Amino acid sequence: DQQSSIQETLADLIAEHQQLKIHASQELENRITEVKDAIADLKSAMNARALRSKNTETVDLREISDRLGLLAMDVKSTALENRVLTSLTFDQIQYRQEAVAVAHQKTFDWALDPWSPTKLESWLRTGSGIYWIKGKAGSGKSTLMKYLATHPHTMSALQSFFFWNAGAELQKSQEGLFRSLLYEILRQSPELIRPTCGYKMRRFRPFRHSIILWTLPELRHAIGLLKEQTGHKTRFCFFIDGLDEYNGDPDQIIDALQSLRGWPDIKICVSSRPWNEFQDAFGQPSDPQLSLEDLTRNDINNFVRSSLEENMRFRALSARDSRSHDLVQETVEKAQSVFLWVVLVVKSLLTGLRNADRVSDLQRRLREFPATLEEYFHHMLASIDPFYRKQTAQAFKVALGADKPLYLLTYSFLDEEDIDSILEAPANQLNMESILIRQDDMRRRLNGRCKGLLEVIEVPWRDNPSLYANKNINLRVDFLHRTARDFLLTKDMQKMLADNLDADFNVYLVVCKAFFAQLKTLDYPNNSDRFHIAVELFDDIILYSRLIESEVVQKNLLDAIGRFVLTRAAYFGLRQGSDIGFVEYLVKTGSDHYSYIAKVLFEKPHLAQSHGSALLVAAIPHHGTYTRMRNEDVKEIKLILDSGASPNEDYGESTIWGSFLEIPFSTDETKGESLRLVIEALLSHGANPKQYLKRLGKPADEILLEHFGEIRAQEMLSKARSPA
């Protein structure tokens, strides 16, 4: 019945709001109360039926029905808004914020001092535009940014702020920046979704979780519309760390940020190394800015002093030998404002104290410690036992090749002597005790083989931290610091890694095998946390497997994975009871596996014959599930049509062809090549140009005429296959 359906849907929307962190959950709670009241009124009216006239009863029921109808419209509207937010967010959107170290006690206190010459506190309170924090590698920029973004003073100076950081591949792009900005603003102010994303919302269906991507022009357009909105009360401060980490031309990301300058409701604090591009854009004399290495001498002094003085052995040593006090000053002088170097030196000194070093020993430790981070990285690599060089090189290549930190448990499978035997064996679930043993062993191996350049970190899951109530579930492996990664990417280090690996080593293949081995150890029915990991591992396999060079090796691996996930189709959102489920998933997700899909359809022609329409629906954009088309998508659509799929098969209230034409294509899309090629392919495979489209109220050929103009439309229609 209508009222219970609305009530259930509202409950789902509230859960979704909480997951997306939308600041409107109370409104939905109020809606549920309204539904309950309406249901109570309906029951009262029906119970009083015998006491009322038929006309009065009809009026009462009609009023209640109208109330429920209006509520249903509100629910649909809210669901559409949630689809927009879901399409903007992405995994690891705040990963780096969680991974950055918390500032040491009493460091960076100067940053929010109203009397500080940096004037940062004043800018946060009343300033506008862009504030630039510049500093050399390892100087503590990310730690300062996290300190600022999470400090109570910042929250009191601003009504609202959000932290955005460059980490995974999507984050290090202009697209990722715009998606993050829009997501954070719109989830805080959902009343702005329709004014800024109304055009995009026309392509969504409220209760269908479909893959819908944004183009860069669409994102820019939405940002432009957002700047035109006035009257909302929320102010935003974005902390954008690591501008120098973006992929591509720095000028592009600078232009993106400059486009937001001057918007009264948004201010942006950015950090980067002092590259010329950023100096020109944000470092003019009148621009608000600070140079970190000019301000952290006291912080470094406090860090070194407090770290050592907290050590019982150092305190005892200081009482006996006054030279220990000079150790702090000498460390500060040698640091050259590089906080990371200081952290590493202090760690070495504390190790010496644990070994009962004398002051003279500690001084020698300090003086013999590599003078720069690069020298330190060289020193640590040289200290690795030659026996482990192959395993060390593999761990580094995997960490460099991954687009995010991988699970510690994944590294344990990478380290298997015969991983192929695990892949061929039946699934064997690991209990928590076995997981902890594996992780402890792997942590020790990484410590011995990588000497701290890779470290184990805990990263809470952004959407639902309760999924990982046991913190051991989400342990991951990441570089000590971005500078360590940069060091290993140098030409000399890449050669060193290659020299210690087999000639046929393929990082993507070994990673996929490790993902698959881990996937087979999860206890699917009983552990929601590990199930969430299973979905992530499956998606990662699809992502990395497209980079395996050998098509034969790739096909064998994907065949095995396909057989496995089809036995658990419901868990992975695949079609159940059909061999087509895995291929359909690859097509639907735009996974760039054309060669594999082509081989499967060639070897198993019955799949296309029996399920051609399902594959075509998965491949072709249609109303409500639109995703921009690429050349790879066009190839897959042609492949499926050539395999026997018909565009005239029923789909919803229309046909596959008709639903495709109901998409509200933009001008940019109608000018593009991909859309034309898809339409011509559909027409040449029997799509009916005269089909009447009820939603649009006109036949297909008139729709083409409106979208493309007479000349281009006639060219496409000339490809139509003559009726048999």
Side-chain angles (χ1 to χ4, degrees), residues 199 203 218 626 663-671 675 707:
Y199 174 80
R203 301 183 175 187
E218 285 176 334
Y626 180 76
I663 296 173
F665 297 113
S666 68
T667 303
D668 288 342
E669 290 157 343
T670 56
K671 291 180 179 178
L675 182 58
H707 278 314

Side-chain angles (χ1 to χ4, degrees), residues 245-265:
E245 298 184 34
Y246 280 88
N247 295 329
D249 187 349
D251 289 329
Q252 291 185 345
I253 209 66
I254 289 171
D255 290 342
L257 294 174
Q258 296 285 29
S259 69
L260 300 174
R261 190 195 287 264
W263 190 0
D265 297 315

Side-chain angles (χ1 to χ4, degrees), residues 182-379:
L182 281 170
Y183 171 75
E184 298 291 10
I185 292 171
L186 296 179
R187 77 175 177 87
Q188 176 72 10
S189 301
E191 72 276 6
L192 298 177
I193 294 177
R194 286 186 176 274
T196 58
C197 303
Y199 174 80
K200 190 71 173 177
M201 288 179 69
R202 293 161 55 195
R203 301 183 175 187
F204 291 72
R205 287 185 181 177
F207 305 109
R208 180 168 295 179
H209 293 262
S210 306
I211 299 169
I212 301 182
L213 304 179
W214 288 76
T215 66
L216 198 53
E218 285 176 334
L219 292 167
R220 287 199 189 102
H221 180 64
I223 289 285
L225 291 175
L226 197 60
K227 291 173 65 175
E228 297 174 5
Q229 306 306 309
T230 58
H232 56 91
K233 299 178 181 179
T234 309
R235 293 184 297 145
F236 299 89
C237 182
F238 289 92
F239 293 84
I240 306 179
D241 184 32
L243 294 187
D244 49 297
E245 298 184 34
Y246 280 88
N247 295 329
D249 187 349
D251 289 329
Q252 291 185 345
I253 209 66
I254 289 171
D255 290 342
L257 294 174
Q258 296 285 29
S259 69
L260 300 174
R261 190 195 287 264
W263 190 0
D265 297 315
I266 285 186
K267 62 179 71 177
I268 303 172
C269 181
V270 300
S271 75
S272 75
R273 300 182 196 187
W275 290 1
N276 291 338
E277 295 90 340
F278 303 126
Q279 182 68 41
D280 292 343
F282 312 126
Q284 299 306 307
S286 60
D287 292 332
Q289 60 188 288
L290 66 82
S291 179
L292 197 52
E293 48 262 38
D294 296 338
L295 299 159
T296 53
R297 182 181 178 87
N298 287 338
D299 289 336
I300 291 174
N301 183 76
N302 290 336
F303 171 74
V304 176
R305 187 175 301 279
S306 62
S307 297
L308 293 178
E309 289 179 350
E310 287 173 3
N311 184 278
M312 180 180 64
R313 292 187 179 278
F314 183 78
R315 291 196 302 270
L317 195 60
S318 297
R320 300 194 307 268
D321 193 332
S322 60
R323 292 178 300 169
S324 61
H325 300 293
D326 298 331
L327 200 63
V328 174
Q329 190 60 32
E330 187 175 351
T331 302
V332 174
E333 293 295 337
K334 291 175 67 69
Q336 298 182 354
S337 300
V338 179
F339 232 120
L340 175 60
W341 184 90
V342 176
V343 171
L344 298 170
V345 167
V346 168
K347 183 178 180 181
S348 176
L349 294 176
L350 292 174
T351 298
L353 288 166
R354 187 183 303 115
N355 298 334
D357 280 4
R358 299 162 298 189
V359 171
S360 59
D361 297 323
L362 296 175
Q363 289 175 329
R364 189 158 59 90
R365 274 182 178 273
L366 174 60
R367 292 163 187 172
E368 292 181 0
F369 197 88
T372 66
L373 289 176
E374 184 173 350
E375 290 177 15
Y376 170 79
F377 298 146
H378 273 292
H379 171 75

Side-chain angles (χ1 to χ4, degrees), residues 406-414 430 434-436 438-439 442 472-473 475-477 514 518 521-522:
L406 303 183
Y407 289 107
L408 177 59
L409 196 59
T410 303
Y411 277 83
S412 78
F413 287 106
L414 283 164
L430 291 179
S434 299
I435 289 175
L436 294 178
R438 270 185 167 271
Q439 291 187 147
M442 198 61 226
N472 294 294
I473 290 293
L475 295 178
R476 295 176 183 261
V477 177
Q518 185 177 353
T521 67
L522 300 178

Side-chain angles (χ1 to χ4, degrees), residues 615-642:
L615 288 177
L616 192 56
V617 167
I620 201 169
H622 48 275
H623 183 77
T625 60
Y626 180 76
T627 174
R628 63 178 182 264
M629 286 180 295
R630 309 157 301 156
N631 291 337
E632 193 80 7
D633 301 320
V634 176
K635 287 173 59 180
E636 287 183 3
I637 290 169
K638 289 182 176 179
L639 170 67
I640 294 166
L641 288 168
D642 288 341

